[in-house]
Amino acid sequence: MPYATVDDLTMYYEEQGAPDGPPLVLLHNFTGTGATTWASQRPALGARCRLVVPDLREHGRTANPGGRAAMNHRQFARDAAALCRALGVERAVFCGTSSGAMLLLGDGSVRTLLFNEPVAAGSVRTASARPSRTGFP
């Protein structure tokens, strides 16, 4: 089981798919985990992409040493950015559902450092559409 130390926590993540493909980070909803939320999409997405699928803070196999104060979308975004840096991912496409999508849109932590392209799925906020720069449809 892969874990990475990112800032103040040990974060669980899974990687699968095409190791040389474009990195695609899949972020789960608030009550989910990376493995359960994205289980049915991972085989198809992994055929072309290097998938990075974390469990966010206090979800699944990732603890939350920061307590309640660290349970917010800004911290989730910082954790996702730190995980990517720890894995050597310089730029990636990020896809999130529900809370996973909200953290992509609200804070600059992931966006300014890593965004190749954000994809919000089932978010309460939306991002403006723009042409794909990565070859994703």
Side-chain angles (χ1 to χ4, degrees):
M1 289 187 230
Y3 287 87
T5 301
V6 294
D7 299 328
D8 70 334
L9 81 153
T10 301
M11 187 173 216
Y12 177 81
Y13 68 97
E14 295 177 2
E15 279 193 277
Q16 77 177 70
D20 296 325
L24 173 58
V25 181
L26 300 175
L27 301 169
H28 62 78
N29 58 309
F30 191 72
T31 59
T33 67
T36 58
T37 299
W38 297 104
S40 59
Q41 292 86 4
R42 287 169 66 170
L45 295 172
R48 288 190 50 207
C49 302
R50 171 188 174 192
L51 302 181
V52 177
V53 190
D55 283 349
L56 297 175
R57 184 179 288 262
E58 202 168 296
H59 292 80
R61 296 175 215 164
T62 299
N64 179 21
R68 279 201 122 153
M71 289 296 293
N72 61 74
H73 293 104
R74 286 190 177 128
Q75 185 61 55
F76 294 159
R78 287 190 287 272
D79 293 343
L83 174 65
C84 287
R85 284 191 298 273
L87 298 177
V89 174
E90 294 178 16
R91 304 282 290 171
V93 172
F94 287 78
C95 182
T97 181
S98 189
S99 283
M102 289 173 63
L103 75 89
L104 297 177
L105 302 174
D107 182 77
S109 297
V110 173
R111 192 174 9 175
T112 57
L113 298 173
L114 299 161
F115 264 8
N116 217 354
E117 197 159 333
V119 179
S123 172
V124 296
R125 298 190 241 172
T126 59
S128 62
R130 65 175 196 228
S132 175
R133 295 176 294 178
T134 60
F136 288 91

